[in-house]
Amino acid sequence: MKVVNFAETPSLVSQYMTELRDVNIQGDMLRFRRNLERIGEIMAYEISRTLDYKERLIHTPLAETESPEITTNLVLATIFRAGVPFHQGFLNFFDHAENAFVSAYRRYKEKTYKNQDDFDVCIEYLASPSIEGKTLILADPMLATGSSMELSYQALLTKGTPAHIHVASVIASRKAVDYICSRFPEAKTTVWCGAIDPEINSHSYIVPGLGDAGDLAYGTKD
């Protein structure tokens, strides 16, 4: 399974990542969402280099010419709510792609939240076209344990079996990347990460990470 870590080669992703992590910048929700979107756009461009193309005859104002166009059938999927601006970055570039949405959340077993690492990941909602034989891009900005990503993928499999899967995250933990590599089909999965951080804490948050991406993008939950 191929794993692409953008942090290994400094680029604009590194600049946007710095702004996403910096507590002095995070308070600007518009900027936070836009940086998630920008990283999605860059990853979309990189993924576009792996897709299939064919030449099509087109007419310019001056002549006929052959020009390539994408023939890969794409489905862009994301997990509510933090995934929405990241997803939009992919959609900005793959504007003809079909789209799928999954709702996944942590259900804590202790209502007092004293033991915050004791939780189940629940899938509550799925809206998706058929993914049979298509290329699936499954995007979620934070890949902490990999459980939400795997359960979302399992839910999407009720809509068919994709030809290839691109798992995309802004920040992933090493544990989550290893988990995805062990659970997704090795021969047809590519993992794309803006950065891979070394650990998660007892609450299953990525360290150093950036905090709660959903809250930073849309405001805190009650």
Side-chain angles (χ1 to χ4, degrees), residues 4 6 11-13 37-51 53 70 74 76 86 88-95 137 166 168 192:
V4 179
F6 283 81
S11 67
L12 271 176
V13 171
E37 187 177 352
R38 284 166 168 165
I39 293 174
E41 290 171 343
I42 293 170
M43 288 189 180
Y45 170 76
E46 293 297 329
I47 290 173
S48 76
R49 300 169 66 185
T50 73
L51 304 180
Y53 293 79
I70 294 173
L74 290 171
L76 310 179
F86 190 37
Q88 185 61 49
F90 288 93
L91 187 57
N92 288 346
F93 279 23
F94 297 130
D95 53 333
I137 300 176
H166 295 279
W192 304 80

Side-chain angles (χ1 to χ4, degrees), residues 3 31 40-41 67 93 103 166 196:
V3 177
R31 189 169 178 180
E41 290 171 343
S67 186
F93 279 23
S103 171
H166 295 279
I196 300 176

Side-chain angles (χ1 to χ4, degrees), residues 49-139:
R49 300 169 66 185
T50 73
L51 304 180
D52 296 326
Y53 293 79
K54 72 172 182 180
E55 296 288 331
R56 182 168 71 86
L57 182 65
I58 62 171
H59 298 269
T60 79
L62 301 178
E64 292 183 343
T65 187
E66 295 283 338
S67 186
E69 63 179 5
I70 294 173
T71 58
T72 304
N73 291 318
L74 290 171
V75 176
L76 310 179
T78 197
I79 303 172
F80 288 142
R81 64 179 169 149
V84 173
F86 190 37
H87 174 94
Q88 185 61 49
F90 288 93
L91 187 57
N92 288 346
F93 279 23
F94 297 130
D95 53 333
H96 296 297
E98 297 179 281
N99 294 267
F101 300 93
V102 183
S103 171
Y105 68 96
R106 295 179 178 185
R107 183 171 61 196
Y108 291 93
K109 297 178 182 179
E110 292 287 338
K111 292 184 179 180
T112 59
Y113 284 60
K114 290 181 180 178
N115 186 15
Q116 292 197 35
D117 59 345
D118 191 10
F119 62 86
D120 294 321
V121 175
C122 301
I123 302 295
E124 193 171 65
Y125 171 85
L126 171 66
S128 174
S130 169
I131 63 171
E132 182 66 35
K134 300 174 184 177
T135 292
L136 175 67
I137 300 176
L138 183 49

